Amino acid sequence: MKIAAAAYPLDWFSSWREYEEKLTRWVRDGAEQGAALLVFPEYGAMELVSLAGEETAADLVRAAQAVSDLMDDVNSLHRELAARFGVHILGASAPVVTEGRIVNRAHLHTPNGQTGHQDKQIMTLWERDPWGVQGQGPLRVFDTAIGRIAINICYDSEFPLLARAQRQADILLVPSCTDAAEGYWRVRIGAQARAMENQCVAVMSSVIGPFPQVEAVDISTGCGGIYGPPDCGFPADGVIAQGALDRPGWTVGAVDPAAISAVRSGGNVRHRSHWEEGLPHDIAELCTLK
C-alpha cells in the first residue's frame, strides 16, 4: 500500500468553507496518488484560529480554546472525507481543552466512520511554559484494516520507551511541528531510530512556513518522510520516501506489510526481540580511571 506524509503550510481563512475546500483538496490529491493512509502534522489545526480573529490568535490560551471548540466539526469533516475517498486519515493535531487542561491531540479516522485519538505524552519546554499544554495518557495502538497503527506526536518520538510500549504497531505515525532545522532533525532521527528498534515503518509529517498570527506556530520547517528498518526488504538507509525541506505537498511511499512481518522474523538483526536483553541495567556503573 501507499502512505502519504504531508509538508503542510498553514493558511488564514475568512470562512469555514475555505478550510473545508483546502482540506478536501489535500485529501483528494493524496488519494489520487494512490495513498491508503494520509498523515497530517502536529498543530496543523492551529490555522483554524483564523476563524476567531487576530485578537484571539494572539492569545495562546484563547487560541487553544477557539481551536478546541471547532474539533467536533473538524472530525466530522475528516470522517466524511475518509469515507468519500476511501482512505485512513491522521488529522492534524490540535490543542484540545478537556477537564480544564490543554492537551495536544491527534485523531485517526477510518473510511468506515471510526475515530480514535492519541494525546501527546511529553511536552516541549515551550509547550509547558508559556502555553501550559499538558501530557496525557494512555498510549494506544489502533487495530485497523491497513495494519496496527501507533502515534508519537513530535517530541514523543525522541523517547524510545514510548514507541517500545507500542511495539505491536506495524506503522508509527510521527506528526511534527518544529521551528528550526535542528528540531526537524531531532524528530527525523527519532522517527528513524524508532523504525529500526521496533522493526516497523515510521511516517513523519511536518508543518512548514510562516504563520505569524500565532506565536506557537509562527515559523516552521520540515518535510514528509517515510522510514523503515535498514534491513532486508527495505532500503539500505531505511529511507522509503523523502520530501524536500519546506516544499509543500505530499511525500508518497509504498510499504509492503508483509515486509514488516518478514524483517521481524527473518531479518539480519532482531532489535525488536533482543530489546529485553538491555533492560536489566537500570543505570550504568560509574568507574573512575586514573
Side-chain angles (χ1 to χ4, degrees), residues 170-199:
D170 306 305
I171 304 168
L172 178 67
L173 308 184
V174 184
S176 72
C177 178
T178 54
D179 62 355
E182 58 265 31
Y184 160 74
W185 278 102
R186 282 194 298 267
V187 178
R188 175 174 168 179
I189 290 167
Q192 291 193 256
R194 305 297 80 83
M196 181 185 72
E197 293 159 357
N198 285 342
Q199 296 180 290

Side-chain angles (χ1 to χ4, degrees), residues 201 228-236 238 240 254-260 262-264 266-268:
V201 169
D231 201 349
C232 55
F234 292 89
I240 296 168
V255 173
D256 182 1
I260 299 171
V263 78
R264 287 174 170 176
N268 294 319

Side-chain angles (χ1 to χ4, degrees), residues 56-80:
T56 296
D59 183 297
L60 288 170
V61 174
R62 289 175 61 193
Q65 185 67 63
V67 174
S68 180
D69 289 344
L70 291 170
M71 288 312 294
D72 284 346
D73 291 335
V74 170
N75 288 331
S76 293
L77 175 58
H78 279 77
R79 281 191 293 270
E80 188 272 322

Side-chain angles (χ1 to χ4, degrees), residues 234-285:
F234 292 89
D237 60 359
V239 178
I240 296 168
Q242 183 62 60
L245 200 64
D246 296 334
R247 181 182 298 171
W250 292 113
T251 294
V252 179
V255 173
D256 182 1
I260 299 171
S261 298
V263 78
R264 287 174 170 176
S265 62
N268 294 319
V269 289
R270 305 293 169 83
H271 296 97
R272 189 167 179 266
S273 59
H274 291 165
W275 178 281
E276 304 297 331
E277 296 178 21
L279 293 183
H281 307 287
D282 180 39
I283 187 167
E285 180 182 350

Side-chain angles (χ1 to χ4, degrees), residues 149-224:
I149 297 174
I151 303 163
N152 277 185
I153 300 176
C154 201
Y155 195 40
D156 283 353
S157 69
E158 300 174 35
F159 297 87
L161 292 183
L162 297 180
R164 177 62 185 173
Q166 299 164 304
R167 60 190 176 275
Q168 299 175 74
D170 306 305
I171 304 168
L172 178 67
L173 308 184
V174 184
S176 72
C177 178
T178 54
D179 62 355
E182 58 265 31
Y184 160 74
W185 278 102
R186 282 194 298 267
V187 178
R188 175 174 168 179
I189 290 167
Q192 291 193 256
R194 305 297 80 83
M196 181 185 72
E197 293 159 357
N198 285 342
Q199 296 180 290
C200 68
V201 169
V203 184
M204 180 180 177
S205 60
S206 300
V207 168
I208 62 169
F211 197 70
Q213 297 91 339
V214 181
E215 185 180 5
V217 288
D218 56 350
I219 185 67
S220 302
T221 190
C223 59

Side-chain angles (χ1 to χ4, degrees), residues 115-130:
T115 294
H117 73 265
Q118 178 64 64
D119 293 333
K120 190 173 183 178
Q121 306 295 294
I122 303 173
M123 298 301 109
T124 63
L125 295 175
W126 202 91
E127 283 176 303
R128 296 166 193 249
D129 184 17

